[in-house]
Amino acid sequence: MASAEAVAAVVEAGGAHVPGLMDALEARLVTVAGSHGAVLGEHATATIAAGGKRLRPLLVFVAAGPAPSGHDAALRAAVAVELVHSATLVHDDVLDAAVLRRGRPTVVAAAGRSIATATGDLLFSRAFAELAGGGSPAAVRVLSDASSALVQGELLQREDAWKLQTTRERYLRRCDLKTARLFRAACELGALAGGGNVPLLGAFGEEIGIAFQLLDDVLDVSGPAERTGKHRGTDLLDGTVTLPLILARERDPELAGLDLRSVRTPEAAEGVCDAIAATGALEAARQEALAMVAEAKAKLTALPEPSQQAALELVADGVVDRYA
Amino acid sequence: MASAEAVAAVVEAGGAHVPGLMDALEARLVTVAGSHGAVLGEHATATIAAGGKRLRPLLVFVAAGPAPSGHDAALRAAVAVELVHSATLVHDDVLDAAVLRRGRPTVVAAAGRSIATATGDLLFSRAFAELAGGGSPAAVRVLSDASSALVQGELLQREDAWKLQTTRERYLRRCDLKTARLFRAACELGALAGGGNVPLLGAFGEEIGIAFQLLDDVLDVSGPAERTGKHRGTDLLDGTVTLPLILARERDPELAGLDLRSVRTPEAAEGVCDAIAATGALEAARQEALAMVAEAKAKLTALPEPSQQAALELVADGVVDRYA
């Protein structure tokens, strides 16, 4: 998602303003990361350069629409959501003592816990500075609410670790807090920048955010590792119970009786992944995500601009493509 | 500082609006801490209840002045600076694996690194939400710049740990980033809320902030432990080189040749504290701080309201009283 092809597709569908803003985003992220001393600069820059899909900024830009009057605010919002996203990744890696992310050493692995915690804090505070520069308190409020939700989602995940009896409601709540609220914020910030329909675009963002997380959790079970950059079953090894496992346990008595803590090696995790896949739970989870994306797209028919509707549909499809 | 007596003194000098705002601050901090789920609520509430001196909020209120039109913005600003201050303490304790703060178990000791990191992140994002609610992007910008400085200051301190050749300039830069910028922000936010002189009050805040840190560092060497709640010489044991040691090394060849890493026990640290005190470095450092406070107070003569000037002078004196 947000690959050159995805951006090209969004442009064709009516988002001609997007590529220029995506370039401006990259330039601004580099400037922000490099402006706070050599040590932080090195690690903040590496974090941001490691990239990722820039899906959240893309959502901001498409939700903002093509009117140039909104571009400054949209750019600030896009930088801010990407900084918040990066900050949480850096802090998560500290807590998980993670060694690699996106195939590169994490900040905590390269520089230790102090510098990694500080790097996350810095990215966090720069996000709000960036947004505040645009002069919209409503925008700051949207981002800080999303940030608080993210933190709660992370905690919920840690609280629920190793709990096989996690319900689907609880799982969906976690997806909402941990992932979808920042997608919602990206769309709301875009709508605020472009004078669009904030509640409608926010609801769209939240729905595709949950679908995104759901498909991510499916991918962790289905693989292949070449696509995800991780072994299959890393969630299982971390004790994270996701929808595929919840659904599979309803279908397979052996999985229902599984002791998650006994799954300790990548090989054992792959075995459980195979057992989950054999129940058809992956397809069921995938169908749920597709239904959410369809529902999110249906909301867009109320938008006044068909070209914006088409562009947002493409972004929604991009979320689904992760799985294809 | 900011004890009942200090607040009473500020009121007498013309800050009759202060006690009501200090009460409103406590109420609002409790509400904010309790509004984000049970786990975070418990630890955020404990962090905030553990209190501290509320010196930064007091600065906001006095800098805002008595006009009721500025009180809502001042209250938001005071809550926000206290939340940022608390967030950095929680994260510092994670990095230091600190067991006690202000005589109570730290969040990291009580609940582990994950919850403590999340608690800090939450307090941080709530600070910006609080400020954004007041509708002033300039205020958000001031706070986020101060937060970035805080992070850089923390890192500088860790970078310089165990380095006896730390210069006084570098030490003062660290005090500025780590402490004084948030004092500056508190005064600037107060001035923004009350329509006051932002640069003048900001410069006042920054100067007493450096003096505050300097006196704190003197206290760490001078004790007594009953006042500070810590053993004398904790900075030495942490490898933190402060002005008393920098000055003492210029005066005592034995201290100049000290190997800081050889100071490993509280008893050894107390011995070095005695050696520092014997050089007269404590008095010299204290005089520097007092000179800064005097300079900060001298700036205030340009203020139009003598009552506000008197109240700010009292706050400045409160900083000095820490040492008395």
Side-chain angles (χ1 to χ4, degrees), chain A residues 36 39-40 91 94-95 113-115 117-118 121-122 124-126 128-129 132 135-137 140-141 144-145 147-148 151-152 155 158-159, chain B residues 36 39-40 91 94-95 113-115 117-118 121-122 124-126 128-129 132 135-137 140-141 144-145 147-148 151-152 155 158-159:
Chain A
H36 300 279
V39 176
L40 284 175
H91 279 183
V94 174
L95 296 178
R113 293 203 291 126
S114 302
I115 287 177
T117 302
D121 287 350
L122 180 82
F124 216 34
S125 57
R126 290 336 289 167
F128 289 100
S136 166
V140 175
R141 180 96 208 172
S144 51
D145 285 346
S147 305
S148 303
V151 173
Q152 291 177 68
L155 264 197
R158 286 166 204 280
E159 228 178 295
Chain B
H36 300 278
V39 176
L40 283 175
H91 279 182
V94 173
L95 296 179
R113 293 202 290 126
S114 301
I115 288 177
T117 302
D121 287 351
L122 181 81
F124 215 35
S125 56
R126 289 337 288 167
F128 289 100
S136 165
V140 175
R141 180 97 208 172
S144 50
D145 285 347
S147 305
S148 304
V151 173
Q152 290 176 69
L155 265 197
R158 286 167 204 280
E159 228 178 294

Side-chain angles (χ1 to χ4, degrees), chain A residues 221-288:
Chain A
V221 178
S222 68
E226 310 88 78
R227 288 250 357 245
T228 61
K230 299 186 288 190
H231 285 291
R232 286 166 63 207
T234 52
D235 285 338
L236 292 166
L237 292 169
D238 291 340
T240 305
V241 177
T242 63
L243 192 61
L245 179 56
I246 294 172
L247 295 178
R249 289 183 69 241
E250 294 167 2
R251 297 162 181 228
D252 176 347
E254 206 163 310
L255 282 172
L258 175 76
D259 174 8
L260 205 50
R261 292 202 183 262
S262 71
V263 183
R264 296 193 174 182
T265 63
E267 293 70 30
E270 297 235 344
V272 178
C273 287
D274 290 340
I276 293 171
T279 67
L282 293 180
E283 194 48 31
R286 185 179 174 238
Q287 287 305 329
E288 278 201 38

Side-chain angles (χ1 to χ4, degrees), chain A residues 76-130:
Chain A
R76 288 179 182 280
V79 170
V81 294
E82 193 66 12
L83 289 173
V84 164
H85 176 57
S86 302
T88 59
L89 296 183
V90 172
H91 279 183
D92 287 355
D93 288 341
V94 174
L95 296 178
D96 297 337
V99 176
L100 289 175
R101 178 174 287 276
R102 296 171 186 152
R104 302 187 187 212
T106 59
V107 181
V108 65
R113 293 203 291 126
S114 302
I115 287 177
T117 302
T119 301
D121 287 350
L122 180 82
L123 293 171
F124 216 34
S125 57
R126 290 336 289 167
F128 289 100
E130 200 63 23

Side-chain angles (χ1 to χ4, degrees), chain B residues 90 129 207:
Chain B
V90 172
E207 198 137 24

Side-chain angles (χ1 to χ4, degrees), chain B residues 47-80:
Chain B
T47 301
I48 282 167
K53 298 170 291 288
R54 310 287 195 235
L55 180 55
R56 293 156 192 81
L58 181 61
L59 273 174
V60 175
F61 295 145
V62 179
S69 60
H71 288 180
D72 178 61
L75 181 58
R76 289 181 181 280
V79 171

